[in-house]
Structures are given as structure tokens and as C-alpha cells.
């Protein structure tokens, strides 16, 4: 049985929404390394990886299985995303164009060696910064250096008290 990487929600979600990561079809107690890779808009590579051990049924759920080391350790379901480090030192991951999603490549590799073994499976997930129905309008249009987003038909469940600057009307 081939290993399968399961991401929920599948394919795409908002950047602040939790992503459930699970792997099915592993050998019971199999040691694996999970790796997350992403590139920023300038092409800089950011990666995180962690070692895990499959359960007795050959499954791995990051909400229940603690990482055994590497970029982070312990029970961190979203650790592969927050622990990403740049390939070149002194770089920071900054999303400059919020209209485009951030693509994350997740891979499951066999083993725990310093250089993990063969690729067992992979998946791609996109993180949106502007949900559907929200548009970005440059703030220069309103004589202040910022940007503003308008939700046309989207409710994230958060209450935001935003006021227009003095002298500017919506």
C-alpha cells in the first residue's frame, strides 16, 4: 500500500486557518521525515523538517504524534509551517503581494538519517491571504501610505473596529 499525504482543508485555505496534516499507508512504527518547502516572491527557499514515527496501524496524524526532533520537537500540528527557516541566513519570509497565495510543498521521506531516504509521497497546499470576495485597494488613493481590504461577502468571525482617518471618507 502506497503512502498518502492528507491535508484538510484540501488544496487551499486562508493563511490563519489550521491545516490538519496526516499520512496513511505507512508501515507500522515506520520512521519518517516530513519536510515543508516554500519560496517567497523573490525566489528564496524556506524549509522545515521533522522526524516522526508512524503508529501501530501505519498512520501518522500531526495532531497526535509528537515530532522527534529537527526544526522543532514535541506536539506541534502546524510546526512544519511556523518553523520554516531560510536556506540563506538573514532572510525573512515576508509576503509582499497578498493577492497571490503562498504555495507550500509537503513531502514524506523514508527514515530518520541526516539525509532521509526515498520520497514516499508529496502534496501541495496553498495559503491565501485574501479570502474570496475581498479586494485590496491601495491607500495612496486616500492620501495615506497603506492599503485597505474590503470584504464583499466574507465573514471570518472576527470583529474588526476600523475607522477611516480624519478627513477621509469611505
Amino acid at each position: 500500500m502506497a503512502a498518502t499525504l492528507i491535508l484538510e482543508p484540501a488544496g487551499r485555505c486562508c493563511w490563519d486557518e489550521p491545516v490538519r496534516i496526516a499520512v496513511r499507508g505507512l508501515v507500522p512504527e515506520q520512521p519518517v521525515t516530513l519536510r515543508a518547502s516554500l519560496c517567497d516572491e523573490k525566489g528564496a527557499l524556506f524549509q522545515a523538517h521533522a522526524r516522526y514515527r508512524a503508529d501501530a496501524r501505519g498512520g501518522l496524524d500531526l495532531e497526535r504524534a509528537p515530532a522527534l526532533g529537527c526544526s522543532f520537537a514535541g506536539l506541534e500540528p502546524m510546526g512544519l509551517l511556523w518553523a520554516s527557516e531560510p536556506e540563506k541566513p538573514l532572510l525573512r519570509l515576508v509576503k509582499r503581494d497578498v493577492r497571490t497565495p503562498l504555495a507550500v510543498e509537503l513531502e514524506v521521506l523514508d527514515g530518520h538519517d541526516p539525509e532521509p531516504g526515498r520520497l514516499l509521497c508529496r502534496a501541495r497546499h496553498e495559503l491565501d491571504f485574501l479570502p474570496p470576495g475581498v479586494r485590496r485597494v491601495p491607500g495612496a488613493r486616500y492620501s495615506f501610505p497603506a492599503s485597505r481590504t474590503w470584504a464583499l461577502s466574507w465573514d471570518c468571525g472576527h470583529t474588526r473596529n476600523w475607522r477611516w482617518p480624519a478627513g477621509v471618507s469611505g
Side-chain angles (χ1 to χ4, degrees):
M1 182 168 156
T4 306
L5 187 55
I6 302 162
L7 303 173
E8 293 175 3
R12 192 175 206 151
C13 70
C14 201
W15 70 273
D16 60 351
E17 189 176 335
V19 179
R20 182 174 175 262
I21 303 170
V23 184
R24 300 287 176 256
L26 298 170
V27 175
E29 305 295 327
Q30 180 179 2
V32 293
T33 301
L34 270 69
R35 179 170 54 200
S37 306
L38 60 101
C39 288
D40 69 1
E41 286 127 337
K42 293 185 176 183
L45 177 66
F46 290 79
Q47 288 188 322
H49 60 287
R51 297 178 179 140
Y52 291 93
R53 186 170 299 282
D55 62 21
R57 294 177 298 180
L60 175 63
D61 187 347
L62 272 57
E63 291 180 346
R64 294 187 194 99
L68 305 175
C70 285
S71 298
F72 60 94
L75 190 60
E76 296 286 350
M78 297 288 291
L80 288 168
L81 299 179
W82 65 253
S84 293
E85 295 178 345
E87 184 179 47
K88 297 177 183 174
L90 305 177
L91 289 179
R92 293 179 60 177
L93 179 61
V94 177
K95 184 69 174 142
R96 298 182 195 314
D97 183 5
V98 296
R99 296 170 295 179
T100 60
L102 189 63
V104 180
E105 183 84 22
L106 294 157
E107 299 173 324
V108 180
L109 305 157
D110 189 23
H112 283 171
D113 294 330
E115 289 298 319
R118 66 185 172 89
L119 178 68
L120 299 175
C121 58
R122 73 170 46 165
R124 180 184 167 99
H125 195 75
E126 292 183 344
L127 302 172
D128 281 323
F129 287 80
L130 287 181
V134 175
R135 63 187 171 106
R136 181 181 183 274
V137 178
R141 176 175 163 188
Y142 300 105
S143 303
F144 59 96
S147 66
R148 168 104 168 98
T149 56
W150 275 283
L152 302 178
S153 62
W154 171 71
D155 180 16
C156 65
H158 303 291
T159 303
R160 298 214 167 114
N161 297 322
W162 194 89
R163 294 184 183 178
W164 286 100
V168 177
S169 64

